[in-house]
Amino acid sequence: MSARSNNAKQQTEHLSGQVIATFGRHCSVETETGEIVSCVMRGKKTGIACGDQVECQLTTSGQGVIESIKTRTSQLYRSDAFKEKIIAANVTQIIIVVAAIPSFSEELINRCLVAVESENIAALIVLNKADLAEPTRVAMDTLSLYVNLGYPVLQLSALQDVSALQPYLQGHLSVLAGQSGMGKSTLLNMLIPQAKRATAEISVALDSGCHTTTHSQLYHVDADSAIIDSPGFQEFGLQHIKDENLAWGFTEFHPYIGQCKFSNCRHTKEPGCAVMQAVQEGKIHAKRLDFYHRLLR
């Protein structure tokens, strides 16, 4: 076959695959045969995410052009008043990594939980650096609220042993999420040594971590399981969730939604609100209603 006819064949060759890394409009796609192809979106389209299943056309240069994104089973977003950022697609579980030191944002945990509840994604909270006994005890006092809500909380020390996490990964496409400095990259490197994600020391003075992960990347745990590492973030905006749907992000509100005196109740000051009545009766923790009110504002 001549070089010209071979090039013509390449121009019409279509590939199916999964996005395993994203760099702006560029991404890496793993094809069904295991080949890694560098791809770009056609035209000015954006919004590609790790975990996406895509159809690509291979060019003469060996680069791929993404023609279409297959229907997503889930999509994990964060958004503010100005823009949306898709974190991952088709994930079945979010692993929210927090640590005894530096201190973690409980509001960030709540925001992540609201996001996954709206997409029917499972949630696991991992408390890292559990070898620090007293800080871990204090952290677990805070996290006990989420244990009581039914969210699993797993204690471990990523520098010592991560085997307790492995059963939670089976059969899932998981995404690691959390603030910088929580030890996500260390955790991933222990799970998947070939990942070789960069790590950094935390700032004790600032009680915070440094950004070391610069792009999202998918790693295979086994044939049926994979994990996506995403850059750390300090905020998790939920502007894309409408106010009337926000209450559904709080799992303990569910039995009381629809039981209020007014059908359009927002569970703030309305008379006959079943959610606020449940708070008064101790059936819903007041802290969670406060988080909900903050999100409404």
Side-chain angles (χ1 to χ4, degrees):
M1 183 182 290
S2 68
R4 178 174 295 179
S5 60
N6 185 54
N7 285 343
K9 176 178 180 295
Q10 282 187 309
Q11 280 186 313
T12 59
E13 185 175 356
H14 281 75
L15 303 170
S16 297
Q18 182 180 44
V19 176
I20 61 167
T22 54
F23 317 89
R25 290 188 63 251
H26 296 263
C27 64
S28 297
V29 172
E30 183 177 22
T31 69
E32 293 172 337
T33 60
E35 181 184 4
I36 308 298
V37 180
S38 178
C39 295
V40 295
M41 290 290 291
R42 182 170 292 285
K44 296 183 179 180
K45 294 179 181 177
T46 58
I48 196 76
C50 260
D52 268 325
Q53 298 286 342
V54 296
E55 296 285 346
C56 312
Q57 182 177 347
L58 197 64
T59 67
T60 56
S61 65
Q63 188 179 55
V65 178
I66 295 176
E67 299 285 351
S68 63
I69 301 172
K70 296 182 181 179
T71 302
R72 293 164 173 161
T73 58
S74 68
Q75 44 194 5
L76 189 59
Y77 277 104
R78 58 189 178 101
S79 59
D80 57 28
F82 305 102
K83 64 179 180 180
E84 291 185 352
K85 170 70 174 178
I86 182 165
I87 299 170
N90 302 315
V91 297
T92 57
Q93 176 174 248
I94 186 172
I95 301 173
I96 306 168
V97 182
V98 297
I101 296 176
S103 57
F104 57 85
S105 166
E106 197 174 354
E107 181 163 344
L108 190 65
I109 293 175
N110 279 272
R111 287 174 173 271
C112 287
L113 293 178
V114 169
V116 300
E117 289 290 345
S118 69
E119 290 288 328
N120 198 28
I121 298 170
L124 168 66
I125 300 172
V126 170
L127 176 58
N128 191 18
K129 309 180 188 179
D131 52 306
L132 304 174
E134 181 57 22
T136 295
R137 185 194 64 77
V138 173
M140 280 305 301
D141 284 345
T142 299
L143 296 175
S144 63
L145 168 60
Y146 306 97
V147 174
N148 293 334
L149 291 174
Y151 294 108
V153 176
L154 178 65
Q155 298 181 46
L156 55 76
S157 173
L159 288 173
Q160 295 180 353
D161 185 7
V162 296
S163 60
L165 178 59
Q166 290 170 335
Y168 290 90
L169 304 177
Q170 297 306 305
H172 280 291
L173 173 53
S174 302
V175 59
L176 287 175
Q179 300 159 253
S180 302
M182 298 292 109
K184 296 191 307 298
S185 295
T186 301
L187 184 64
L188 186 73
N189 289 340
M190 291 293 284
L191 283 169
I192 305 170
Q194 64 269 29
K196 297 180 181 177
R197 287 298 233 186
T199 59
E201 294 295 325
I202 64 170
S203 169
V204 176
L206 297 176
D207 189 29
S208 65
C210 303
H211 291 286
T212 56
T213 301
T214 57
H215 66 278
S216 294
Q217 178 88 37
L218 182 149
Y219 301 93
H220 294 286
V221 178
D222 55 39
D224 302 313
S225 317
I227 190 165
I228 295 172
D229 188 25
S230 62
F233 44 80
Q234 306 304 117
E235 297 180 356
F236 197 109
L238 297 171
Q239 290 288 326
H240 58 284
I241 299 178
K242 295 180 179 178
D243 283 356
E244 56 266 32
N245 296 329
L246 200 56
W248 287 104
F250 292 76
T251 182
E252 71 273 39
F253 289 13
H254 292 183
Y256 308 101
I257 297 174
Q259 305 301 313
C260 302
K261 181 177 180 179
F262 299 104
S263 60
N264 63 344
C265 184
R266 289 289 178 268
H267 322 300
T268 53
K269 299 177 181 177
E270 300 89 342
C273 173
V275 171
M276 289 193 290
Q277 180 65 32
V279 172
Q280 292 173 8
E281 294 173 357
K283 297 174 181 177
I284 293 176
H285 200 294
K287 185 189 288 187
R288 288 275 285 175
L289 182 64
D290 183 54
F291 279 126
Y292 166 74
H293 288 164
R294 278 193 245 169
L295 290 178
L296 275 181
R297 289 197 293 270

